[in-house]
Amino acid sequence: MPSPLLIAQLSDPHIGTGPAFLGGRMDTEAALRRAVAHVAALQPAPDLVLLTGDLTDRGTAAEYAVVADALAPLGMPVYAVPGNHDDPTVARNALRRCMPVAPDAPAGACCYTLRVGGLHLIALDTVVPRQSHGALQPDQLAWLARALDARRGEPVLLFMHHPPLPTGIEAMDACSLMEGADALAALVRGHGQVQGLLCGHLHRAVQMQFGGAPLHVAPSVAHQIALDLRPGAPLHARLEPPKISLHRWSPLHGLCTHLSYVEPFGPMIPL
Ligand SMILES: [Fe+2]
């Protein structure tokens, strides 16, 4: 039996917000560097790292240069999808190895496939230019259908930025995946071996079911969105402890998702 695969998911670092962000209380570059140091120190080391979007805040080349420098300590492969705060073209130019766009990807879409151990990974690009909500257009859904068909009977993990389901945080639900969610759910259900979908965007850890598969939304490595389920609640950030998601996948048991706090909470206490 092969050893389980470990996948560290880091989301929404928003590099480039500037020193005045959140009243000067959030330094996103420092937050990303702390998260990277946390991942680099994990034992056993993750087999790969996935970044689920909003790598930067404004999508500039200078911001991606900071992202690339911050990721440099990671010894394992790193793959990324863009979020609504990214510029997918600038991101691909700056982080080419992290975004190996498939030769047959629909024009302009940062989607690709990987195989790591016994698991296939499929990256989807949900960005709608200059919009905060996401979409999967028919050409990308057709590409995904072909990719899933080619991997029928084999385990597949999908990752993308915008969650395709509401969470009850209304202001974020209004800018989730607004097009293509039903078709995506049908593809997931029809394949039957999709082990999970990994998303970002929400800046909170959430677990759901989608098309019969587990759907995990990772927290941000920087600032979180306040948990407020009141109808019409305004959107607030909160400086909750930053976390990463650590997924342990095995062919026999599927996906097990842990949340790992970036900051230590005191020493280990023997039991
Ligand atoms: Fe974000």
Side-chain angles (χ1 to χ4, degrees):
M1 177 64 63
S3 56
L5 204 61
L6 272 184
I7 302 171
Q9 182 187 3
L10 281 61
S11 205
D12 293 82
H14 283 262
I15 293 300
T17 49
F21 187 54
L22 299 183
R25 284 171 289 187
M26 172 51 66
D27 180 339
T28 55
E29 180 181 340
L32 177 57
R33 291 186 187 279
R34 282 195 294 269
V36 165
H38 177 66
V39 173
L42 286 173
Q43 291 292 334
D47 296 283
L48 73 160
V49 170
L50 299 180
L51 303 172
T52 41
D54 283 359
L55 280 57
T56 68
D57 204 56
R58 291 182 297 272
T60 68
E63 291 172 339
Y64 290 111
V66 173
V67 172
D69 187 64
L71 297 176
L74 295 174
M76 65 289 287
V78 178
Y79 297 101
V81 288
N84 50 291
H85 281 264
D86 289 305
D87 181 315
T89 303
V90 180
R92 283 203 300 274
N93 287 335
L95 303 169
R96 200 163 286 278
R97 275 194 301 182
C98 299
M99 296 181 169
V101 177
D104 61 343
C110 178
C111 47
Y112 53 91
T113 64
L114 307 164
R115 180 170 184 156
V116 182
L119 183 64
H120 297 275
L121 294 101
I122 300 181
L124 298 173
D125 180 348
T126 56
V127 173
V128 180
R130 293 171 294 283
Q131 300 293 324
S132 56
H133 72 272
L136 285 173
Q137 303 295 348
D139 56 353
Q140 195 174 171
L141 289 163
W143 176 86
L144 174 61
R146 291 192 296 274
L148 289 172
D149 271 346
R151 292 156 184 82
R152 194 153 293 280
E154 298 185 55
V156 173
L157 186 66
L158 306 180
F159 63 109
M160 59 193 206
H161 182 63
H162 292 86
L165 285 176
T167 64
I169 301 175
E170 282 191 357
M172 293 305 292
D173 291 343
C175 61
S176 63
L177 189 79
M178 305 304 280
E179 294 176 48
D182 289 346
L184 176 63
L187 288 173
V188 169
R189 194 177 294 282
H191 183 271
Q193 286 295 318
V194 174
Q195 307 293 293
L197 294 88
L198 310 181
C199 301
H201 188 55
L202 191 63
H203 291 232
R204 286 206 75 78
V206 172
Q207 196 71 26
M208 296 182 273
Q209 287 281 314
F210 182 76
L215 165 62
H216 175 73
V217 183
S220 171
V221 297
H223 50 292
Q224 312 306 315
I225 293 292
L227 177 57
D228 192 339
L229 301 179
R230 295 174 298 167
L235 201 56
H236 285 101
R238 285 198 73 179
L239 300 183
E240 298 176 12
K243 298 180 281 292
I244 68 157
S245 301
L246 188 61
H247 308 283
R248 183 181 186 273
W249 179 82
S250 69
L252 192 59
H253 300 115
L255 199 66
C256 172
T257 295
H258 301 266
L259 293 176
S260 182
Y261 286 91
V262 170
E263 306 293 343
F265 286 91
M268 300 283 264
I269 303 168
L271 294 175

